Amino acid sequence: MSAETLGLFRSDPWLEPYKDAIEGRFSYVVERENTLTQHGMQSLSDFASGYLYFGLHLTQNGWVVHEWAPNATAIYLTGTFNHWTKNEAYRLQPIGNGNWELHLPHDAVNHEDMYKLLVEWQGGAGERIPAWSRRVVQDAHTKIFSAQVWNPVKSYKFENETFIPTTSPLLIYECHIGMASQDEKIGTYEEFRANILPRIANDGYNAIQIMAIQEHPYYGSFGYHVSSFFAPSSRFGTPDELKHLIDDAHSLGIAVIMDIVHSHAVKNELEGLGRFDGTNYQYFHSAADRREHPAWDSLCFDYGKNEVVHFLLSNCKYWLEEFHFDGFRFDGVTSMLYYSHGLGESFSNYDNYYNGCQDGDAIAYITLANKLIHEVNPHAITIAEEVSGMPGLAAKIEDGGYGFDYRMAMNIPDFWIKTMKEKKDEDWLPSSIWREETNRRSDEKTVSYAESHDQALVGDKTIIFWLIDAEMYWHMQADDRNATVERGMALHKMIRLITSTTINGGYLNFMGNEFGHPEWIDFPREGNGWSYKYARRQWHLADNRDLKYYALERFDNEMIRLILSIKNFQATLLQKVWDNDGDQILAYMRENLLFVFNFNPTRSFTDYGFLVPLGKYKVVLNTDDKRFGGNGFNDDAVEHFTQPDMLYASEQKGWLKLYIPARSALVLQLNQKNDEHQCSFIY
């Protein structure tokens, strides 16, 4: 396929000068796929089935162990079944290409036995957790991690085998199992399934994005420093309990997206892949400057190795097939795309994307991962967490893109935090807000979100805490009038409303932020006395009708329901009606909904006019509604009729005059055309 036929150029003619680079990337992806599939002798899905071969498996003839460790000189299986001894009966045999094998009788190991590999190499040896382990647990007393045999007599059987996600639009409730507990502890899969899933369903979200599923030795890493890529974190429960959670989510109509980390791995050798076979470069780059991530204190995969691509692609298929995840949010894609990991790059023009500093092997892996995922499950959802704006990331592979379904709109949360930190209320300009909310490639779908969990994780604050701060401790009673709290609540609702209703793909909220969960996120660590106080969610705040948190959650519920009331909301025409930075007024339409925002902190406007389609408009959502903790200055029961203007008669437009209180937003629905006797013409 030539560059001229790639759809990427048809959708963006500005890419034409870079057609050689784009065509070269596309050709390299085809070349890598041909190599991996032996030029079509097998499918990509067949190739990515390593998890069915490697690791520990029970067969009709007994147990079999396979491991890839090309530098090893000897490997022994050790565990509770042989008292952790180096035993010749448990010695793996080399079978070529760096692979090792061991066969054992049925009674050699049992369910819940602990085990590891003792790997020897020239000049050294070390205990290692098998790379393909499906279950890894930590001893409560010694804190040492070990693989665990997981072969229950009765394994979980899925009831929902044909679930198809709803993506019109995709409304994601991002969550973390451990911190979903209200108590100061680590929450479990079972608690989340029983207590939190019903809340999410009631809130109207149709997808959850679960963070920190892959096993990680340090809880405070939020799951970003993965050690065992095929093992669901045991600190939350068993693999079967995770399957039950996913099955129940599907029964509630909720898709389950997994945050998958293939951008790097933890350095740990005893728990992870570091020096697995005695070398630094088995899974990672040989050169130190490429192997070690300069910002994350982690190891970077060498995507140029077929064995590494096999490991990672198999990991994608494993989570889809074994756990019925509905897709992935790929973490750290920017870091994968560039030799610099995107650090210190401006990404101010297209030259930055095609200057030879891009990692072609990583790009090929990303593209093939997306192709594989959709080959395994055509309805799967893939999302790229990517900050540079690389063109084609969420474009079809056959068009020259990388195949993601969505990309995260990472500019939006950055914009809101920067605005709150650096600008006075009088300087919140509607033109800037509109530009930031809609600044995206027209040919790629995005997931918009108002605030990132990362901002609250790295010593910063949530949006609500930036807006209200310490006043939250004293003035969140429903009947308490406090200017700081009222300002914060008003802007919290407006920020969410404009972010969720300007989407072109999906909207995401991190759990608890919908009701203004107080303070920040801080996982247990030495610096806070290993406390769980800030690594939990205080659901009782949202459930208490006497607190303002209840009003904020009620608003979020109504906002989500409004979005769902319009078929394919994300695909409807988004059209700006008016913006005025002096007045701080913004208005736009989608279908028959008119959105009106007044960001002015002090001025309310009477009879403020907008030129809109003729008809009768009725308020269907008002951030200032008393039910949502507002002042209730508007009478939302009043119907508003347009006034025809002869100058715009051919366009079937007229003037809609509204009262717009300061710091508030209205959503009005166009219900029907005006009757002629209800209005007079303006000349």
Side-chain angles (χ1 to χ4, degrees):
M1 184 177 290
S2 66
E4 286 74 14
T5 63
L6 295 179
L8 205 59
F9 296 99
R10 294 193 297 273
S11 60
D12 186 355
W14 292 99
L15 290 173
E16 186 66 27
Y18 310 98
K19 65 179 183 179
D20 289 343
I22 293 172
E23 184 179 24
R25 292 181 189 176
F26 183 86
S27 298
Y28 186 56
V29 171
V30 174
E31 177 186 328
R32 287 300 301 274
E33 183 179 5
N34 283 335
T35 299
L36 301 176
T37 62
Q38 302 176 56
H39 294 274
M41 294 294 290
Q42 61 178 341
S43 69
L44 199 58
S45 178
D46 291 335
F47 170 78
S49 298
Y51 64 94
L52 298 175
Y53 177 79
F54 287 101
L56 174 67
H57 296 277
L58 180 61
T59 70
Q60 289 183 343
N61 299 320
W63 294 93
V64 61
V65 180
H66 288 111
E67 195 66 49
W68 175 61
N71 188 59
T73 56
I75 302 178
Y76 298 86
L77 184 70
T78 68
T80 52
F81 42 80
N82 64 6
H83 308 290
W84 299 101
T85 60
K86 178 179 173 180
N87 189 313
E88 285 297 319
Y90 291 86
R91 181 170 180 162
L92 280 70
Q93 301 300 317
I95 57 174
N97 298 317
N99 296 322
W100 297 75
E101 182 179 75
L102 171 65
H103 289 275
L104 293 169
H106 286 90
D107 59 356
V109 298
N110 297 292
H111 175 56
E112 295 188 331
D113 277 347
M114 303 297 181
Y115 69 99
K116 291 184 180 180
L117 297 177
L118 174 59
V119 182
E120 297 180 351
W121 55 84
Q122 195 69 37
E127 285 190 337
R128 297 291 185 261
I129 293 177
W132 300 75
S133 298
R134 299 188 181 197
R135 170 82 168 159
V136 175
V137 298
Q138 184 179 28
D139 186 277
H141 302 291
T142 66
K143 304 303 181 184
I144 294 174
F145 283 86
S146 301
Q148 185 181 48
V149 179
W150 192 253
N151 184 44
V153 174
K154 185 178 180 181
S155 59
Y156 187 82
K157 301 297 182 184
F158 285 93
E159 295 182 1
N160 298 280
E161 294 282 358
T162 58
F163 176 78
I164 298 177
T166 299
T167 57
S168 56
L170 182 63
L171 300 172
I172 305 172
Y173 196 86
E174 187 182 34
C175 48
H176 182 284
I177 301 297
M179 65 178 289
S181 171
Q182 184 161 279
D183 300 325
E184 294 184 29
K185 64 165 193 171
I186 297 176
T188 68
Y189 297 126
E190 277 292 283
E191 291 168 341
F192 189 94
R193 180 187 65 81
N195 303 327
I196 311 304
L197 275 180
R199 295 187 70 104
I200 297 169
N202 184 65
D203 288 345
Y205 291 88
N206 55 29
I208 56 175
Q209 179 174 292
I210 311 182
M211 316 301 291
I213 287 296
Q214 294 168 293
E215 191 60 84
H216 46 291
Y218 179 46
Y219 185 46
S221 75
F222 205 67
Y224 290 138
H225 278 188
V226 175
S227 52
S228 296
F229 285 78
F230 290 83
S233 182
S234 60
R235 56 172 56 89
F236 309 137
T238 70
D240 292 72
E241 288 168 344
L242 174 57
K243 291 177 180 179
H244 194 181
L245 185 163
I246 294 170
D247 206 15
D248 273 19
H250 289 166
S251 69
L252 292 170
I254 297 173
V256 186
I257 300 166
M258 173 180 160
D259 184 68
I260 198 166
V261 182
H262 282 180
S263 48
H264 61 138
V266 72
K267 283 184 174 180
N268 300 33
E269 297 174 11
L270 295 180
E271 295 92 359
L273 299 176
R275 293 184 71 236
F276 187 84
D277 69 351
T279 64
N280 290 314
Y281 52 81
Q282 180 184 355
Y283 287 94
F284 311 106
H285 290 283
S286 56
D289 61 339
R290 293 208 62 196
R291 182 172 64 252
E292 298 192 13
H293 198 291
W296 295 347
D297 190 33
S298 56
L299 300 174
C300 301
F301 287 107
D302 184 350
Y303 306 102
K305 291 184 177 179
N306 291 343
E307 296 87 350
V308 173
V309 172
H310 178 243
F311 179 81
L312 296 175
L313 288 180
S314 296
N315 193 234
C316 294
K317 183 179 178 182
Y318 166 75
W319 292 109
L320 293 172
E321 293 279 272
E322 293 295 312
F323 288 87
H324 291 200
F325 276 99
D326 299 295
F328 305 99
R329 178 258 205 186
F330 276 75
D331 176 71
V333 172
T334 304
S335 178
M336 300 169 73
L337 293 177
Y338 305 94
Y339 294 131
S340 66
H341 304 293
L343 301 173
E345 303 277 3
S346 64
F347 301 113
S348 56
N349 58 66
Y350 276 14
D351 288 343
N352 301 130
Y353 306 124
Y354 307 102
N355 58 8
C357 293
Q358 293 71 40
D359 188 338
D361 289 323
I363 290 171
Y365 167 68
I366 289 169
T367 308
L368 292 176
N370 276 295
K371 183 171 184 178
L372 164 76
I373 291 164
H374 293 101
E375 183 178 311
V376 174
N377 180 2
H379 303 290
I381 300 162
T382 59
I383 306 168
E385 190 232 15
E386 205 283 317
V387 71
S388 77
M390 171 70 80
L393 201 65
K396 294 179 180 179
I397 295 172
E398 57 266 32
D399 287 337
Y402 299 173
F404 284 102
D405 297 300
Y406 302 86
R407 62 193 308 159
M408 301 292 290
M410 299 183 72
N411 61 299
I412 296 177
D414 289 345
F415 168 79
W416 284 120
I417 287 292
K418 186 178 178 67
T419 297
M420 288 183 290
K421 284 183 178 180
E422 301 176 3
K423 293 188 176 182
K424 299 182 297 183
D425 289 6
E426 293 80 6
D427 297 328
W428 288 33
L429 304 181
S431 61
S432 298
I433 294 170
W434 174 262
R435 181 171 60 252
E436 210 63 46
E437 293 281 357
T438 60
N439 180 22
R440 58 208 176 207
R441 296 180 62 82
S442 60
D443 57 339
E444 300 185 39
K445 293 185 292 186
T446 59
V447 173
S448 299
Y449 55 126
E451 60 184 305
S452 168
H453 64 254
D454 285 337
Q455 292 163 335
L457 272 170
V458 293
D460 214 323
K461 308 173 185 177
T462 59
I463 281 181
I464 196 71
F465 213 55
W466 265 111
L467 293 170
I468 300 178
D469 214 277
E471 298 295 300
M472 292 192 76
Y473 297 123
W474 313 106
H475 301 288
M476 290 299 284
Q477 291 79 17
D479 58 355
D480 190 338
R481 299 302 300 270
N482 178 277
T484 299
V485 172
E486 290 180 7
R487 168 189 177 267
M489 288 185 63
L491 291 174
H492 188 268
K493 289 177 284 186
M494 294 175 72
I495 289 169
R496 272 164 167 66
L497 181 62
I498 194 169
T499 301
S500 65
T501 59
T502 52
I503 59 173
N504 77 330
Y507 171 71
L508 176 143
N509 167 73
F510 183 73
M511 67 176 187
N513 288 347
E514 73 278 5
F515 65 83
H517 197 282
E519 304 171 315
W520 52 88
I521 299 172
D522 192 11
F523 279 77
R525 55 187 172 83
E526 188 174 3
N528 65 13
W530 303 102
S531 170
Y532 290 89
K533 182 177 181 180
Y534 300 105
R536 62 188 178 116
R537 297 286 89 173
Q538 300 181 63
W539 305 107
H540 67 279
L541 297 175
D543 295 337
N544 190 337
R545 293 171 179 260
D546 295 327
L547 297 178
K548 295 181 186 294
Y549 302 102
Y550 175 80
L552 288 175
E553 179 168 60
R554 192 173 185 183
F555 172 77
D556 194 82
N557 292 168
E558 293 295 327
M559 180 184 77
I560 295 299
R561 281 167 172 73
L562 177 70
I563 293 170
L564 291 172
S565 71
I566 303 295
K567 185 178 181 181
N568 291 322
F569 179 89
Q570 81 290 347
T572 60
L573 179 64
L574 176 61
Q575 186 173 10
K576 183 165 67 174
V577 171
W578 176 259
D579 70 339
N580 185 303
D581 287 343
D583 296 337
Q584 294 180 267
I585 297 287
L586 172 68
Y588 55 90
M589 289 198 74
R590 296 198 87 144
E591 285 290 290
N592 62 342
L593 296 179
L594 171 66
F595 301 85
V596 179
F597 291 79
N598 180 6
F599 287 98
N600 201 300
T602 57
R603 291 184 63 193
S604 299
F605 296 92
T606 303
D607 289 336
Y608 202 99
F610 301 99
L611 194 64
V612 295
L614 294 170
K616 179 176 70 175
Y617 289 79
K618 181 175 177 54
V619 174
V620 291
L621 189 64
N622 180 0
T623 62
D624 194 46
D625 193 315
K626 287 185 176 181
R627 296 181 303 141
F628 309 140
N631 296 302
F633 287 147
N634 251 320
D635 183 356
D636 294 341
V638 172
E639 295 178 334
H640 302 270
F641 296 90
T642 52
Q643 301 175 19
D645 187 327
M646 288 298 293
L647 294 175
Y648 302 98
S650 62
E651 300 177 37
Q652 290 292 297
K653 289 185 176 180
W655 294 96
L656 185 69
K657 301 294 184 69
L658 300 173
Y659 170 59
I660 319 171
R663 275 202 200 104
S664 72
L666 296 169
V667 184
L668 301 99
Q669 186 176 55
L670 172 60
N671 291 316
Q672 64 183 49
K673 293 183 178 180
N674 284 341
D675 294 328
E676 290 186 10
H677 68 274
Q678 290 178 317
C679 31
S680 56
F681 286 99
I682 297 176
Y683 295 92

